[in-house]
Amino acid sequence: MKWLVVLVACSSPAPSPTAPPRPPDAPAALTCATDPDWRPGLSYKQSSHVVHVRVSFASFEPVMDQRRCVALDLEILSTYRGTGNPGDHVQLVVQQSMIEHTSWPAAWWIVEQSLRPGTEYVAMCESGKLADVLRGLCTVKVAAPHLASLAMVRDADVNHVTGIALVSRLRATCGIADEIATGYVWDQTGEQAVKDLPLYDALLSVVLEPSCSQTARAVMINQVTGLAMSGTPAHLVRVARTLFKLLAMPEASGFHDNAIGTWLPNALGLEGGLPKLEPTDVFSGDPKFRAEATKTLADYRGTADTKRLRAWIK
């Protein structure tokens, strides 16, 4: 294995002209004695603190061994959960990994986060003092793509919206829904959907909502198919019908290969070890739907092999 080592020597950049002056208690020489505590990403429900912050000041030490120390002053712009008031400032020193494509792409702090003054982030953090957990125990994302979803989630959380009403809110905002909003809805409803088939049907309707973002659709497909594989035959029948309908949706074309190659064969018991479903189980009382599904398989032009599904549906 060959290693390419690049040594960078540079002084800490001055704050931008529009940034506040260096905080008086910011250390002149930075030290990062410990590595960040890398952990899997947190969801909204798992987080004790969810804050929207702006970098007011940043001082960077030279890169050493693919990492650098950064002194930050973060201004809290909004608090979705936990402590912290708009206008408050949090000052901390973090160790930033300079390795691209880290296995924890949402972890705090990595090279994909520039940390330049003026940049804004959303941090979802574990319990503890905010200034302490911000050093490493947070999932951090660039703020702009997630603010609309966070507003929906905060409103639903504060007003204790649950069940089908919560799923309806997700469908109504599905075009801008991200992994935070979709994950929150699943966290609040998935366990109940094991026994509540109308709720499971509502979750499946998100998969088939034409306006849904690709992110929201992907998160929900993974969750509802996973539940079906460990649920009842009624769940399997419902998810199989949903997947056949998905194949007819041009808006979901990016999911067709997986539906044909993996999700449907597993749900139907053609592979994976689940009890085998028959076409009469899936299309009972709906011959028109069966004919449409047959035509959809015949018209498919993707990379997955349709042979088993075409033999099964005959």
Side-chain angles (χ1 to χ4, degrees):
M1 178 182 294
K2 296 183 178 179
W3 293 86
L4 175 62
V5 179
V6 179
L7 299 179
V8 178
C10 59
S11 59
S12 301
S16 78
T18 59
R22 183 183 184 94
D25 54 350
L30 309 185
T31 57
C32 293
T34 59
D35 289 337
D37 187 1
W38 300 119
R39 301 190 183 189
L42 294 173
S43 69
Y44 190 98
K45 186 178 180 181
Q46 293 169 329
S47 303
S48 295
H49 303 279
V50 181
V51 291
H52 174 198
V53 300
R54 178 193 293 130
V55 179
S56 296
F57 171 87
S59 176
F60 303 88
E61 289 291 287
V63 175
M64 296 293 291
D65 194 25
Q66 296 186 305
R67 62 191 70 185
R68 66 181 176 184
C69 290
V70 187
L72 294 172
D73 181 273
L74 303 176
E75 179 187 359
I76 297 177
L77 302 180
S78 183
T79 299
Y80 295 91
R81 179 178 260 190
T83 60
N85 298 312
D88 287 352
H89 285 255
V90 179
Q91 295 164 1
L92 63 155
V93 176
V94 299
Q95 180 172 262
Q96 185 182 27
S97 169
M98 304 306 291
I99 301 173
E100 295 186 10
H101 310 299
T102 174
S103 59
W104 301 115
W108 200 231
W109 305 83
I110 57 175
V111 70
E112 284 87 348
Q113 298 152 359
S114 75
L115 308 185
R116 291 190 303 270
T119 54
E120 298 181 13
Y121 302 99
V122 171
M124 299 189 293
C125 308
E126 294 187 354
S127 60
K129 186 178 178 181
L130 185 58
D132 293 335
V133 295
L134 277 171
R135 290 188 178 91
L137 305 183
C138 299
T139 294
V140 176
K141 302 173 184 289
V142 173
H146 305 288
L147 297 180
S149 278
L150 279 168
M152 185 278 282
V153 170
R154 175 170 56 186
D155 182 71
D157 199 39
V158 168
N159 291 290
H160 307 291
V161 181
T162 60
I164 290 177
L166 179 59
V167 180
S168 296
R169 288 202 179 193
L170 178 62
R171 282 194 67 181
T173 58
C174 218
I176 53 89
D178 60 5
E179 68 276 10
I180 296 174
T182 313
Y184 174 80
V185 170
W186 178 259
D187 286 343
Q188 296 292 84
T189 59
E191 186 174 346
Q192 183 185 350
V194 175
K195 297 181 179 180
D196 187 340
L197 287 176
L199 178 58
Y200 185 64
D201 288 337
L203 292 167
L204 290 171
S205 73
V206 174
V207 173
L208 299 177
E209 173 58 50
S211 69
C212 265
S213 69
Q214 296 307 300
T215 297
R217 201 185 314 277
V219 171
M220 191 58 72
I221 286 176
N222 285 331
Q223 299 293 1
V224 295
T225 54
L227 187 156
M229 302 312 161
S230 58
T232 67
H235 288 89
L236 288 169
V237 167
R238 281 166 162 78
V239 81
R241 289 177 62 87
T242 297
L243 290 171
F244 275 116
K245 292 176 181 178
L246 186 79
L247 292 177
M249 291 178 57
E251 301 89 345
S253 60
F255 302 95
H256 291 174
D257 289 349
N258 279 337
I260 288 176
T262 303
W263 297 326
L264 271 169
N266 278 294
L268 298 173
L270 302 180
E271 63 180 36
L274 290 173
K276 185 177 180 181
L277 296 178
E278 298 298 333
T280 51
D281 298 321
V282 177
F283 302 109
S284 178
D286 199 346
K288 181 180 178 182
F289 180 27
R290 182 173 181 174
E292 290 170 347
T294 302
K295 184 177 185 303
T296 299
L297 287 174
D299 292 341
Y300 168 74
R301 294 294 181 268
T303 60
D305 189 352
T306 62
K307 188 179 302 182
R308 285 179 302 174
L309 291 177
R310 287 187 286 109
W312 172 87
I313 205 171
K314 285 182 179 179

